[in-house]
Amino acid sequence: MLKEEGSIQRMDLDLRIEYIGLETEIYQINKYRYQIYCSNFKGDFKELSDHFDYSIRHIGTNVVLCNVRPKKYLCKIDNIPLSNVVNKFKATCITKRDLDNFIRSRFYHIDIISITIPQAGVNFEIAIEVSKDTEQIHIDKMKEILLNADLGTDKITITLEDDEYSKSSVEGLEHNEKKNNKIKDLENSFDVMHLSFNKELPFMVAEADFWFSKAEDIYTGKVKRNELPFFRDESLKCFLDLSLFDNIDIRNVLLLYDTVYIALPIEEHLDRFLLKQNITLNELIELVDMGKIVILLPNLETRYDRNLLLEVYRKNPNAIVGRRGINSLLSAYLSETKHQYEKRLPGIYKIASDIYMEGVEQKEIDMQNIARLIAWPITAAADSFRYLNQSSPMSLSNFGINNVIYDNFIKNDEKEKISFEFTVNSLSTHIAAALKATYFPFRQWENGIKYSDIAVSNILGDFLNLYWYDADNIKNIKEMRTRGSEDYLKLFECKDNISILKVASLADEYNTHEGFRNILSRLSQMNEGERKDKIKEYNDILFDLGNSNNKTGVFFKFMLGSTGFLPLSYKVSFILSLMGMIKDQSNTFSSIKKQNELKGIEKCIKENRLIPAKQTIDDIYLLDKISTVAILK
């Protein structure tokens, strides 16, 4: 029989999320009628009621809003609190697609043959057919969980497969396989916005298991991002969206970060990506194995190179993240933002509620928009669940910070032009913020015109920081972020004809994400003249040491290897040894070699009457070591 209590609760929740501070009570009037009493709404009630009827209420549901508390009713139904929107996943399936995704993902260990709805309406029924070798204990447990999940009916039948039906199903699948590829691509373009499940991809199984066991704890603040297996909290990391448009050479960021998250292109665009980056598929897999790269899949998982995904998972199960994994990351980030925001500013939601309700009463749209901006961390965390539970990460634009920005700061004549950019380009900035990673915007040149999301990402990033940090710190944070990304890349050039694995190995061996980043940080804070003088100093020292005719010249030639002249100072190589960046080794031979090198550097300094600063020595050493792959410019 039809059950609607859970659905009514979800609709009431959606209403309260949208109308900040609205207080409601839910009543069941009779067997099939419900009313939601709005106790503190002082605005245009007809407008509120119409909006609920046409934008929130599920089609065919007999529920209305009222501004007078009902006197006669069967029972009063509890509201779903904003503090626990998961509510044991009750009433989270609205469509047949939702139902299919929920059941197959939740019970991946059971071979489900089909899920059908024999009857709709008042006699709504769900029929599930499972493989004939399914144990009864699993069937009973499955039915118990589904009934408690409030799927809209108390009539759920689970039966073992019928051989005749299975045979026809197989024939149907074979027929579907013969579909025109263009039709399949068209279907995939719709599927990409909805979550699905494929147990042949093991990371999808792990992500489904994590979501259904941890989602409630994520939204209540008990589980944080550091419990996600792919989240590297202490790592210095960046995020590149390489899914469609061009971006920077991965070699550059391998020198500056010890973890690089990338959004991978789908199989159709994979060869172009590899060509643009001048890497091979095997090199990409090796970078994953080295722990340098983590792959994110924001698109439909079956649209990627299946063999690549399986090989990456085999090399490192924590280095591949599907859509449900990304959703877990986003939900944890939003939940942490909400809890941190409320802790830092107690009572902030009440302030936003008062502003919003006054704006409604006075019909002041600006006041309502300001309230939405103030309350965003709380409302976004609550609203995100209904999307992230059933939809792909691309649904983020429905509840992301982009929604409250242009309503407050973009003039009406400009809003239409920019709203599209905020909508389609918001996901990457939110993912980067959730990863605590530097985001490098994409840049695409076509017919001499550059298209980039840099403006959008900067605006979104600044506002996301506002909810985590005091206003006084925002300027410093922005400067740090800028110096940590765009400015650094302007100061050096990574050779794209060098094996990317060599770049990664050098980065690991000499910790370039610390030493090289430190050099670039200091250079970026100089004015152009000071920077040129400093780089010239580096170059002069390296040149002099590399071309010394005394005995130490042999040592420096060895030290410089086959690099020849560097556009860095020669002091760099020799400074490295002095400073102690050459690690101590237990091997006696290595220890003796190190001492000889240090003595050679010291002798060369004295003979050339050079007295470089300790920091310069450190710089020279590191710049020399990475000179085969990158140079300052």
Side-chain angles (χ1 to χ4, degrees), residues 19 33 47 170 199 344 366 378 431 452 459 518 584:
Y19 287 82
R33 287 183 57 223
E47 184 179 298
V170 170
K199 66 172 63 179
R344 187 164 59 89
D366 288 343
I378 295 99
I431 288 178
S452 174
I459 294 172
N518 181 266
D584 292 329

Side-chain angles (χ1 to χ4, degrees), residues 294-352:
V294 176
I295 292 176
L296 273 61
L297 311 173
N299 210 308
L300 185 66
E301 288 87 351
T302 52
R303 299 187 73 186
Y304 295 92
D305 185 321
R306 183 174 180 274
N307 292 331
L308 171 62
L309 302 189
L310 292 175
E311 182 61 17
V312 167
Y313 182 83
R314 188 182 71 81
K315 291 285 188 180
N316 186 350
N318 296 331
I320 184 166
V321 188
R323 293 184 296 168
R324 191 171 261 122
I326 297 174
N327 285 0
S328 296
L329 170 71
L330 292 171
S331 62
Y333 166 67
L334 292 170
S335 178
E336 287 180 49
T337 302
K338 168 186 179 290
H339 287 94
Q340 187 274 345
Y341 185 59
E342 291 181 311
K343 182 178 180 181
R344 187 164 59 89
L345 299 170
I348 190 65
Y349 186 72
K350 178 64 167 60
I351 294 172

Side-chain angles (χ1 to χ4, degrees), residues 218-430:
I218 288 175
Y219 278 95
T220 54
K222 297 175 184 176
V223 169
K224 302 186 184 302
R225 282 171 287 177
N226 56 17
E227 293 192 38
L228 292 165
F230 58 85
F231 184 76
R232 302 177 183 179
D233 196 20
E234 301 302 321
S235 175
L236 190 61
K237 46 198 176 288
C238 68
F239 172 58
L240 305 179
D241 183 359
L242 299 164
S243 58
L244 184 59
F245 297 114
D246 293 340
N247 211 311
I248 60 175
D249 192 329
I250 296 176
R251 291 168 179 80
N252 290 314
V253 290
L254 284 173
L255 291 173
L256 299 178
Y257 301 88
D258 47 8
T259 298
V260 180
Y261 291 89
I262 65 169
L264 194 70
I266 59 175
E267 185 172 14
E268 181 181 347
H269 303 301
L270 183 61
D271 287 342
R272 178 182 178 277
F273 155 73
L274 295 173
L275 182 63
K276 280 281 185 180
Q277 292 288 333
N278 193 23
I279 62 174
T280 67
L281 208 56
N282 287 335
E283 286 177 329
L284 179 62
I285 294 170
E286 184 63 26
L287 288 171
V288 170
D289 193 33
M290 293 171 66
K292 302 299 293 182
I293 280 184
V294 176
I295 292 176
L296 273 61
L297 311 173
N299 210 308
L300 185 66
E301 288 87 351
T302 52
R303 299 187 73 186
Y304 295 92
D305 185 321
R306 183 174 180 274
N307 292 331
L308 171 62
L309 302 189
L310 292 175
E311 182 61 17
V312 167
Y313 182 83
R314 188 182 71 81
K315 291 285 188 180
N316 186 350
N318 296 331
I320 184 166
V321 188
R323 293 184 296 168
R324 191 171 261 122
I326 297 174
N327 285 0
S328 296
L329 170 71
L330 292 171
S331 62
Y333 166 67
L334 292 170
S335 178
E336 287 180 49
T337 302
K338 168 186 179 290
H339 287 94
Q340 187 274 345
Y341 185 59
E342 291 181 311
K343 182 178 180 181
R344 187 164 59 89
L345 299 170
I348 190 65
Y349 186 72
K350 178 64 167 60
I351 294 172
S353 299
D354 291 343
I355 295 173
Y356 185 84
M357 283 301 168
E358 185 176 347
V360 167
E361 185 177 359
Q362 298 180 13
K363 295 188 176 181
E364 287 284 348
I365 299 298
D366 288 343
M367 289 182 68
Q368 296 174 41
N369 288 337
I370 290 171
R372 290 191 182 101
L373 184 66
I374 295 172
W376 180 80
I378 295 99
T379 57
D383 200 25
S384 67
F385 174 69
R386 65 167 166 153
Y387 292 101
L388 298 179
N389 184 48
Q390 295 285 7
S391 303
S392 84
M394 296 180 187
S395 65
L396 178 134
S397 59
N398 292 289
F399 55 86
I401 188 64
N402 51 287
N403 276 300
V404 296
I405 289 180
Y406 51 76
D407 283 338
N408 280 284
F409 300 100
I410 308 301
K411 297 178 181 178
N412 290 334
D413 58 342
E414 299 171 335
K415 187 179 297 186
E416 186 175 346
K417 299 175 185 177
I418 200 170
S419 61
F420 174 78
E421 295 297 327
F422 273 97
T423 299
V424 300
N425 292 322
S426 60
L427 177 59
S428 293
T429 305
H430 284 79

